[in-house]
DNA sequence: GCCAACGTTGGC
DNA sequence: GCCAACGTTGGC
């Protein structure tokens, strides 16, 4: 099993929205090639995902989701009415991919970014070094430190 | 709202 | 294939 971190702007879609939905959600609209490659090739059913709230008042890891379906073409790229429409994407060879995730857990307290920054064992986290990547790998060790030591449940 | 980092585009 | 211009992300 692998571990990931997905960013979302909570004003648009938050861990609470995922919990309220109570069903798998399409994680769509990822328009970055590195993130696309992970969605298409690497992320597997059953993988665990930290849900990270960005560009908001309380920045940090808000909870956990689980991957329930993988590697399908992002439907929004073919929808001309969508903000995520990509007229250059060929339906026979889609440019963008998506996965489904379902809610697992909402932490009692969000783990703030500045707490993560203060843990030396997390200094190699992609989040703290390549912060603009919106779908990123988390090592087993990083997952375990965060999940076992930093989460307030 | 600012701005640094960095990804993408497009002319050459 | 280079690189300047431009656009976006995201913390502060």
């Amino acid at each position: 099993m692998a571990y990931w971190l997905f960013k979302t702007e909570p004003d648009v879609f938050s861990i609470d929205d995922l919990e309220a939905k109570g069903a798998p959600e399409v994680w769509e609209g990822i328009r970055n090639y590195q993130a696309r490659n992970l969605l298409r090739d690497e992320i597997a059913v059953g993988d665990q995902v930290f849900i990270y709230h960005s560009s908001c008042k309380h920045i940090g890891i808000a909870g956990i989701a689980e991957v329930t379906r993988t590697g399908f073409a992002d439907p929004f790229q073919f929808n001309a009415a969508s903000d995520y429409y990509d007229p250059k994407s060929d339906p026979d060879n889609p440019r963008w991919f998506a996965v489904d995730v379902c809610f697992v857990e909402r932490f009692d307290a969000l783990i703030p970014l500045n707490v993560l920054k203060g843990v030396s064992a997390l200094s190699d986290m992609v989040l703290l070094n390549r912060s603009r990547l919106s779908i990123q790998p988390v090592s087993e060790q990083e997952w375990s430190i965060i999940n076992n030591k930093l989460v307030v449940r």
Side-chain angles (χ1 to χ4, degrees):
Chain A
M1 184 205 291
Y3 303 100
W4 310 95
L5 182 147
F6 290 5
K7 289 188 201 169
T8 183
E9 297 186 17
D11 295 343
V12 179
F13 188 81
S14 72
I15 189 79
D16 299 305
D17 295 325
L18 185 62
E19 180 173 22
K21 178 155 185 183
E25 173 77 13
V26 181
W27 205 268
E28 87 289 352
I30 304 301
R31 297 290 180 269
N32 166 283
Y33 286 103
Q34 268 187 284
R36 185 281 307 270
N37 292 345
L38 297 175
L39 290 168
R40 186 186 60 189
D41 305 330
E42 304 292 335
I43 297 176
V45 171
D47 285 357
Q48 302 291 113
V49 179
F50 282 139
I51 301 298
Y52 177 87
H53 286 176
S54 70
S55 296
C56 58
K57 186 168 183 184
H58 300 293
I59 299 163
I61 300 173
I64 295 175
E66 180 172 326
V67 177
T68 57
R69 184 166 67 118
T70 62
F72 55 91
D74 182 336
F76 289 74
Q77 69 195 307
F78 305 125
N79 178 357
S82 168
D83 288 345
Y84 299 120
Y85 179 55
D86 184 348
K88 295 182 193 163
S89 185
D90 175 359
D92 293 329
N93 184 21
R95 180 177 292 191
W96 306 114
F97 285 74
V99 301
D100 280 0
V101 299
C102 68
F103 175 82
V104 172
E105 177 181 8
R106 178 190 184 283
F107 301 152
D108 286 350
L110 172 141
I111 305 168
L113 175 60
N114 60 16
V115 167
L116 301 173
K117 284 180 176 173
V119 179
S120 61
L122 298 178
S123 61
D124 289 335
M125 269 193 89
V126 176
L127 181 71
L128 305 180
N129 295 284
R130 316 247 334 265
S131 70
R132 295 184 58 202
L133 194 58
S134 61
I135 300 282
Q136 54 181 254
V138 173
S139 76
E140 190 170 358
Q141 185 193 20
E142 290 159 355
W143 181 277
S144 140
I145 290 168
I146 294 168
N147 196 41
N148 298 328
K149 298 188 175 163
L150 300 182
V151 173
V152 176
R153 294 188 159 92

